[in-house]
Amino acid sequence: MTTLVLGPSLGTTAATCWGPVVARLGGEFDVVAWELPGHGGDRRPVPEPLDIADLAERVLTAVEGPFLYAGDSVGGQVGLELLLRAPDRVLGAVLCCTGARIGTPASWAERAEQVRASGTASLVVPTAGRWFAPGFLERHPDVGSALLHALRDTSTDGYVAVCGALARYDARERLGAITAPVVAVAGAHDGVCPPGALRRIAEGVQDGRLVVLDDVAHQAPAEAPDEVARIIRELAKGIS
């Protein structure tokens, strides 16, 4: 059975970000989902500074053998780093709502300062507008609420450390070294990582494909789990 490693986005947990997709995949994969520092059940001391490379090394240490990878946002950047650092381990990747570069150092420093001053609860209202396409919270209040509660419950140290990792990461000039197949999944309503950011990944790697999902913003695995599960299945079938 193929191992599928799942990486969550900033301010979420593996269960809230990827749970809807895992439910649709049934027992087709040996699923390994990891948590960001200070998120979900990972309450170990948060390393500072933290880099995307550190998160990639955590995955490589925790998972044995080759694996398929899927990640959202910062989880997608970890996927890029895994593809670069361990091409013999990563069979292929589905990278959702992410970018080889996300935001700017200044924007992440501003976000980190807000969290230091007011905690992650202060992000809930503005984040709802960034994370979800119009009408999603009304159609799926339980899914949206679970994600926003995960954000509220994320530790200040964990959130700030991941902001720093995002601020420092830039893989734009290294995409051409990625040889494994990559499906870049964009949300049509994603203002954080718009479709152009995913197109750059799909066109920059050696074997890439772009999929743009309608009625999706920044949380594709939660907003469109049927489509994301189908994309993962298709990728797995293509590399088997």
Side-chain angles (χ1 to χ4, degrees):
M1 183 179 294
T2 301
T3 298
L4 172 63
V5 179
L6 301 174
S9 62
L10 174 62
T12 75
T13 65
T16 56
C17 184
W18 284 100
V21 172
V22 173
R24 285 156 175 82
L25 291 174
E28 299 172 47
F29 298 90
D30 178 14
V31 175
V32 178
W34 56 272
E35 303 285 11
L36 291 160
H39 293 58
D42 189 341
R43 298 295 161 161
R44 294 171 291 177
V46 177
E48 183 64 39
L50 178 73
D51 288 311
I52 298 298
D54 300 325
L55 297 173
E57 283 301 321
R58 284 189 176 200
V59 173
L60 293 172
T61 300
V63 181
E64 296 182 359
F67 56 89
L68 191 67
Y69 185 86
D72 189 82
S73 194
V74 67
Q77 287 196 330
V78 173
L80 287 174
E81 190 63 20
L82 288 166
L83 287 159
L84 289 162
R85 297 172 76 86
D88 58 325
R89 299 278 307 278
V90 188
L91 302 171
V94 175
L95 306 179
C96 301
C97 306
T98 191
R101 178 82 164 121
I102 301 176
T104 65
S107 68
W108 289 116
E110 181 179 352
R111 181 86 61 83
E113 185 56 35
Q114 178 181 347
V115 171
R116 288 191 188 96
S118 304
T120 51
S122 68
L123 300 176
V124 169
V125 172
T127 297
R130 289 192 296 266
W131 273 3
F132 308 118
F136 178 81
L137 288 176
E138 289 73 27
R139 295 191 303 271
H140 303 284
D142 292 346
V143 176
S145 177
L147 281 159
L148 293 171
H149 275 85
L151 171 62
R152 181 200 64 191
D153 294 341
T154 298
S155 76
T156 296
D157 288 348
Y159 195 98
V160 168
V162 179
C163 284
L166 284 157
R168 289 184 289 274
Y169 193 69
D170 187 349
R172 289 175 293 183
E173 302 305 317
R174 297 190 289 155
L175 293 175
I178 295 174
T179 58
V182 172
V183 184
V185 181
H189 295 274
D190 192 352
V192 180
C193 296
L198 280 301
R199 182 176 296 107
R200 178 162 189 165
I201 292 173
E203 295 178 352
V205 301
Q206 295 184 31
D207 183 5
R209 178 167 69 94
L210 173 68
V211 177
V212 180
L213 300 178
D214 297 330
D215 299 320
V216 169
H218 194 58
Q219 294 291 338
E223 293 178 273
D226 290 321
E227 291 88 343
V228 174
R230 174 182 54 79
I231 291 165
I232 291 171
R233 284 193 191 95
E234 289 176 351
L235 180 60
K237 183 178 180 181
I239 62 178
S240 62

